Amino acid sequence: MTRLPEDLAIRILDGSPDAILICDRRGIVRYWNRGAERVFGFPHAEIVGAKMDLIIPERLRARHWAGWESAMKTGLTNYDDGQLLAVPALHKE
């Protein structure tokens, strides 16, 4: 059996046209792919290490963070497997 390349996962994430971001428990962006750069307008170097507030509309932040805290505590969200998360967001411009 042929072994898969060790960097296969990151190549798939980096090459996806979809915006993919990974945040830590505090909501700090730890991974941001090219799709996210295109969708949100923030370059990787500017957003990795920053809080997600850069892309969350101010009027929705309290609701977002309440849901975030609940999901972090319980491990449960309102999204089932395969359901697309589509929410309002901010673009850099």
Side-chain angles (χ1 to χ4, degrees), residues 13-87:
L13 292 172
D14 285 347
S16 174
D18 293 324
I20 300 173
L21 58 133
I22 299 171
C23 300
D24 66 17
R25 194 172 182 90
R26 297 173 300 141
I28 304 297
V29 178
R30 299 299 176 193
Y31 174 81
W32 187 261
N33 74 346
R34 287 186 299 260
E37 287 183 355
R38 180 183 50 76
V39 169
F40 299 107
F42 290 93
H44 177 272
E46 191 173 327
I47 198 154
V48 171
K51 199 161 184 178
M52 277 193 305
D53 283 343
L54 290 174
I55 63 169
I56 302 168
E58 188 171 348
R59 72 185 195 289
L60 300 175
R61 286 183 190 154
R63 191 167 115 198
H64 165 83
W65 291 115
W68 179 271
E69 287 301 319
S70 175
M72 291 297 110
K73 286 179 186 172
T74 67
L76 302 173
T77 71
N78 293 331
Y79 299 93
D80 293 327
D81 288 340
Q83 187 176 0
L84 179 65
L85 173 60
V87 296

